């Protein structure tokens, strides 16, 4: 078998078989090693004995007289005998035993009686708690009394077991299924290792059942039980007339049984766990202009000595190089750290590399992924170098796993192309390599992105992430943000390092911890989305009086230490020039420290209602942030956002009121807004139905919400198909630092027996013991996730107990803003 | 086939009667007399002086009420059968039917085909006067302690006691005369292969 690995197995069955550890691999061809079976006297043999003597008659002492006795004869009867011993254990695809591998457990079943016999062969082995599932057991060949193996076309053994006389094999010279004394059958039990089998788990396959099932003599050639189970391995006497069979009936009590087991441990696969980390270092603002600021990034690289928590079946290995294009030479093997120069900036000077690493540059477009770009150790020109799209650091490798990170990578950019009065610089770094000892192949790349501490892009729960590289151009709405630039980001892949620069006197106001957040347009329409709770059973078209919801915002003075302190900063809600969509009577409470100020919305303005005076921050020092809360209480009669498709935005301004009118207007140059947007529900559910003809295909009434169209088309034999469409109507991600609404843990329950639903009931005016509609099996579909059926699975019947009265769809993961999905199930009119 | 040595004249009708314990014998013991010097003796109708009767028994092991193992012997009958592994005890009774002592009685027993001799299972009725020797070469030679050469792992060859499966024959030599009308018994055990 090409590529398979054979595990050497002793045929001795006198002692317990030790589990075969990974290290005990023996490559080579098949050897069913077995000591030749000692032959016993064949049934029907006669044993004869005659005695002889000589003596002398004293009267004739010279003459020797002979005497011969009678002959004693006895016949040897038939006995049954069976042993079961390990023959081989093979990993069908070679190498280490890993999840999803197929292992072939081969067992030798030997007739150690003195007459040809049949066997009862179980079709099901005992796996105990092994993380594996069994395939179809087969008889794959036989061995003669000298141990010589002959294969034949494998014969399947049914799962419940069978006697050998009905299986399609014949040992030459014998009746089909009959095994002569001293001969053996080889039975193969294939087993598939489960996908999540942990390294070190034992996969123990036992064939037959004779306690203590430990391969000792007590499990061999034991009396067969009076009432055997389908997993017990037994002899069964041949009927008279089988070739070589001695005449007579062997009593059932004389049959024999045996059991045998083999075991192997799940191994683990080596993999390098490489992590790249980035922090922003020194920042030099230079002049008031934004276009001459200098920002230094620092990188570090780890090759972890332990696998991340939650990972399965992986052993940390050194990080080796991967093929890159270096100096015009393709497939140069190097470990590569790459960092795309952030948008709006230019590489200002030669980067710094730690010992053993070399700085490289590329001018390849960023659309080309870094490990396909053309790298060179020579910069294309003098610094600042605007044509350089990425900087890199290369190492020959391999780098052994170590608890100590490699530090000392740094590079500096200048904000030549920054725009506006405040500008966000987003950046992410990447590392590329291979697992040492694993030849580079289509899926072997070791790849990590900065912004979190997970190596090799492993997910937060330890499961493997994607190793398909991104371009490395930071895109905060997609990548996520490493909020404090401390490599503590969460979510798949890496997260962006985000650094905001601003002209002196600038103020920043934004979602919690994200004062520099930028919305779809600029940093004045950054937003935080939240939703009020919605009572169950609130139908579309309803209005509600929602409970108040509190938002947390952050105001920040972005000036560097030693810069300008902002004084007398006001925090107020204001619509600005836009006409709001807030309901009249909305109450907005802004709270800072222990002080709250309440405003009431009158349709055009927020009217100061109570609290003394507008909230004031007397002094906001450079590089200082302050949190405040905004509580929004929508009035009664508020429509559902799932009907309107919109939330209710409350813009909050932080500003220095230079003209003293208490409102942020054009004269107040130091101002910044953020939007606290409240939704009254954000997952819209729409239910429609269609009617299909009795063929299940012809659409008689297409999907509609209008009951009047459906009723006339009800008829027995036709089909009623419900479609539930769910949509997250909240605003999509944009810019950076905004807080969006994902719908988590969505569960859609369709119950046909609880009012007002009645499609699984037997309704008047014709209660006839048959429910009005019945489930159509296999016709429930969902865009995502699982469907479960109550009371008892996807069945169909005419009563609630035998049909489906409730369907539940649980979409997987979250339903993101603007995402949607459907859930469809079909009923037949009775 | 029972060897008929010598000829018997006029005494063919005298077959020794089978004793009660004989099982499945398909021939009466054939006893041959060598021709004697005295013609008158030949003409006499005399029974053979020594009659050999061979008996076979199967060993039965049972546990008694207290769980102790009890060994009994079950005589062969026409329905007897043995399994591989069973132990058979053969008893040879040599009866001096004459009225004078018989000297130099030598009894030879084979280890039957498909059985293995059980070492040290030989008995004799009068041990001191009986020499017991064994053959491992098909009765060509007999010694008291058969040895076989064995090659050791270091290459040296030493003589070691022969294993049980090498034994082919047992021979008892009675050094004292068997008195008249006396029966002597010897037994040995074998195991069915």
């Amino acid at each position: 078998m090409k590529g398979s690995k054979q595990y050497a197995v002793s045929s001795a069955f006198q002692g317990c078989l030790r589990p075969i550890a990974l290290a005990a691999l023996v490559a080579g061809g098949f050897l069913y090693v077995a000591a030749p079976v000692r032959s016993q006297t064949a049934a029907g043999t006669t044993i004869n004995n005659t005695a002889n003597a000589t003596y002398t008659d004293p009267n004739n002492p010279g003459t020797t007289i002979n005497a011969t006795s009678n002959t004693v004869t006895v016949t040897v009867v038939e006995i049954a005998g069976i042993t079961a011993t390990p023959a081989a254990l093979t990993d069908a695809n070679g190498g280490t035993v890993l999840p999803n591998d197929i292992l072939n457990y081969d067992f030798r079943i030997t007739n150690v009686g003195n007459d040809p016999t049949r066997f009862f062969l179980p079709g099901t082995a005992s796996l105990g708690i092994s993380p594996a599932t069994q395939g179809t057991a087969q008889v794959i060949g036989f061995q003669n009394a000298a141990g010589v193996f002959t294969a034949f076309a494998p014969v399947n053994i049914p799962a419940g077991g069978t006697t050998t006389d009905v299986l399609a094999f014949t040992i030459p010279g014998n009746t089909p299924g009959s095994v002569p004394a001293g001969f053996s059958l080889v039975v193969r039990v294939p087993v598939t290792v489960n996908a999540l089998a942990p390294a070190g788990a034992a996969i123990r396959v036992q064939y037959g059942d004779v306690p203590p099932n430990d391969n000792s003599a007590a499990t061999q050639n034991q009396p067969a039980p009076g009432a055997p189970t389908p997993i017990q391995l037994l002899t069964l006497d041949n009927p008279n007339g089988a070739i070589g069979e001695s005449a007579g009936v062997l009593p059932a009590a004389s049959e024999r049984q045996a059991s045998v087991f083999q075991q192997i441990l799940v191994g683990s696969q080596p993999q390098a766990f490489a992590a790249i980390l980035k922090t922003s270092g020194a920042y030099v603002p230079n002049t008031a202009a934004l276009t001459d600021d200098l920002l230094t990034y620092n990188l570090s690289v780890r090759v972890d000595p332990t696998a991340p928590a939650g990972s399965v079946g992986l052993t940390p290995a050194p990080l080796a190089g991967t093929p890159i294009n270096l100096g015009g030479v393709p497939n140069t093997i190097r470990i590569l750290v790459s960092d795309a120069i952030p948008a709006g900036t230019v590489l200002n000077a030669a980067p710094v590399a730690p010992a053993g690493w070399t700085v490289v540059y590329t001018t390849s477009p960023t659309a080309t992924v870094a490990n396909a770009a053309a790298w060179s150790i020579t910069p294309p020109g003098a610094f600042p170098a605007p044509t350089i799209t990425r900087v890199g650091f290369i190492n020959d490798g391999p780098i052994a796993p170590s608890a100590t990170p490699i530090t000392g990578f740094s590079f500096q950019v200048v904000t030549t192309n920054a725009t506006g009065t405040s500008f966000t610089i987003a950046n992410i770094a990447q590392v590329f390599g291979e697992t040492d000892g694993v030849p580079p192949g289509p899926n072997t790349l070791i790849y990590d992105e900065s912004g979190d501490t997970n190596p090799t892009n492993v997910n937060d729960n330890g499961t493997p992430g994607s190793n398909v590289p991104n371009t490395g151009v930071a895109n905060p709405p997609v990548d996520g943000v490493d909020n404090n630039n401390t490599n503590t980001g969460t979510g798949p892949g890496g997260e962006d390092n985000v650094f905001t620069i601003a002209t002196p006197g600038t103020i920043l106001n934004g979602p919690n911890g994200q004062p520099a957040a930028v919305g779809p347009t600029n940093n004045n329409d950054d937003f935080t989305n939240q939703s009020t709770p919605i009572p169950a059973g609130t139908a579309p078209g309803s209005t509600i009086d929602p409970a108040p919801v509190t938002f947390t915002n952050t105001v920040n003075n972005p000036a560097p230490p030693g810069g300008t302190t902002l004084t007398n900063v006001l925090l107020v809600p204001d619509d600005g020039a836009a006409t709001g969509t807030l309901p009249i009577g909305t109450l907005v409470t802004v709270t800072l420290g222990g002080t709250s100020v309440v405003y009431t919305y009158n349709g055009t303005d927020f009217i100061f209602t109570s609290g003394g005076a507008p909230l004031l921050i007397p002094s906001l020092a450079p590089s200082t942030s302050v949190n405040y809360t905004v509580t929004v209480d929508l009035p009664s009669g508020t429509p559902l956002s799932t009907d309107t498709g919109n939330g209710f935005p409350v813009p909050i301004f932080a500003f220095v009121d230079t003209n003293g009118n208490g409102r942020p207007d054009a004269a107040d140059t130091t101002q910044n807004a953020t939007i606290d947007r409240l939704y009254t529900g954000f997952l819209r559910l729409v239910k429609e139905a269609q009617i299909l003809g009795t063929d299940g295909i012809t659409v008689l009434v297409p999907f509609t919400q209008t009951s009047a169209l459906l009723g006339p088309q009800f008829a027995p034999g036709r089909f009623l198909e419900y479609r539930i469409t769910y949509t997250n109507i909240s605003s999509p991600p944009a810019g950076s630092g905004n807080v969006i609404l994902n719908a988590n843990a969505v569960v859609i329950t369709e119950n046909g027996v609880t009012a007002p639903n009645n499609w699984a009931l037997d309704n008047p005016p014709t209660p006839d013991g048959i429910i009005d509609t019945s489930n159509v099996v296999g016709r429930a579909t969902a865009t995502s996730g699982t469907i479960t059926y109550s009371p008892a699975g996807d069945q169909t019947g005419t009563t609630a107990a035998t049909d489906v009265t409730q369907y539940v769809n649980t979409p997987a993961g979250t339903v993101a803003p603007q995402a949607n999905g459907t859930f469809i199930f079909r009923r037949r009119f009775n | 086939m029972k060897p008929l040595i010598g000829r018997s004249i006029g005494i063919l009708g005298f077959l020794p009667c089978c004793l009660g314990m004989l099982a499945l014998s398909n021939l009466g013991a054939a006893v041959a007399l060598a021709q004697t010097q005295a013609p008158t003796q030949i003409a006499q109708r005399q029974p053979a002086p020594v009659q050999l009767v061979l008996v076979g028994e199967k060993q039965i092991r049972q546990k008694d009420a207290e769980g102790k193992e009890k060994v009994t012997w079950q005589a062969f009958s026409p329905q007897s059968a043995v399994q591989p592994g069973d132990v058979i005890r053969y008893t040879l009774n040599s009866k001096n039917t004459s009225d004078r002592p018989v000297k130099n009685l030598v009894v030879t027993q084979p280890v039957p085909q498909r059985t293995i001799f059980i070492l040290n299972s030989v008995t004799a009725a009068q041990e001191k006067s009986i020499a017991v020797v064994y053959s491992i070469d098909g009765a060509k030679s007999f010694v008291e302690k058969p040895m076989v050469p064995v090659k050791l792992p270091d290459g040296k060859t030493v003589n070691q006691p022969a294993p049980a499966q090498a034994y082919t024959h047992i021979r008892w030599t009675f050094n004292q005369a068997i008195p008249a009308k006396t029966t002597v018994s010897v037994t040995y055990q074998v195991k069915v292969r």
Side-chain angles (χ1 to χ4, degrees), chain A residues 39-42 45-61 63-79 114 254, chain B residues 2-3 5 22 24-25 29-30 32 49-50 52-54 76 80-84 90 92 100-110 112-115 188 192-193:
Chain A
S39 60
Q40 297 183 306
T41 309
T45 305
T46 58
I47 296 175
N48 306 316
N49 194 355
T50 311
N52 288 289
T54 58
Y55 60 100
T56 56
D57 180 343
N59 292 341
N60 290 294
T63 305
T64 301
I65 307 171
N66 291 290
T68 303
S69 77
N70 57 304
T71 297
V72 171
T73 300
V74 71
T75 307
V76 178
V77 294
E78 174 181 1
I79 60 164
N114 67 349
S254 299
Chain B
K2 270 48 68 191
I5 302 171
L22 191 62
L24 271 184
S25 64
V50 172
L52 300 182
V53 175
L54 184 61
F76 285 163
S80 283
V82 291
Q83 294 181 355
Y90 288 106
L92 178 62
R100 29 181 206 288
V102 158
K103 278 188 159 174
N104 303 320
L105 178 64
V106 177
V107 170
T108 306
Q109 280 289 82
Q113 295 265 2
R114 310 305 306 163
T115 69
Y188 66 106
V192 177
R193 284 187 195 257

Side-chain angles (χ1 to χ4, degrees), chain A residues 568-640:
Chain A
N568 298 329
V569 174
L570 289 180
L571 298 173
V572 298
D574 198 290
D575 254 353
T579 304
T581 55
L582 278 185
I584 295 170
T586 300
L587 294 176
V588 177
T589 306
V590 186
T591 305
L592 175 66
T595 310
S596 293
V597 180
V598 181
Y599 299 81
T600 307
Y601 191 68
N602 68 356
T604 50
D605 296 306
F606 291 90
I607 305 300
F608 179 91
T609 305
S610 72
L615 274 181
L616 179 78
I617 304 174
S619 165
L620 190 60
S623 295
T624 306
S625 289
V626 170
N627 278 4
Y628 63 97
T629 65
V630 176
T631 301
V632 179
D633 187 3
L634 297 166
S636 66
T638 301
L640 297 175

